[in-house]
Amino acid sequence: MKEKHQKLLKRLDRPEFQTGETLADFMAVSSKTIRLMIREINEELEGAAIISAGAG
C-alpha cells in the first residue's frame, strides 16, 4: 500500500467525522484527489470499505 494511503487511513482512524476538505487540507491535496485515494484504497482492500457520504 502506498505511503500516502497509509497516512490517510491513519487519519481516518479517528472517531470523529471528517470531511473531504478537512482530509484534503491535512494531506495537502485537492478534495478530488482524496476521493481518488479513497477509491484506490477501497479497491486495494476489497472486502473492507471507506464509506464516503455525498454532499448534502
Side-chain angles (χ1 to χ4, degrees), residues 23-41:
L23 294 170
D25 288 345
F26 172 74
M27 298 291 292
V29 298
S30 70
S31 58
K32 184 175 182 177
T33 298
I34 292 296
R35 290 191 301 273
L36 175 62
M37 290 172 67
I38 289 172
R39 189 176 312 121
E40 291 171 346
I41 291 168

Side-chain angles (χ1 to χ4, degrees), residues 5-28 31 34-35 38 50-55:
H5 290 173
Q6 292 175 346
K7 182 178 177 182
L8 179 58
L9 283 172
K10 187 172 181 177
R11 178 65 178 217
L12 289 169
D13 197 31
R14 294 180 173 197
E16 70 271 2
F17 178 81
Q18 297 182 61
T19 66
E21 283 297 320
T22 301
L23 294 170
D25 288 345
F26 172 74
M27 298 291 292
S31 58
I34 292 296
R35 290 191 301 273
I38 289 172
I50 300 170
I51 299 172
S52 178

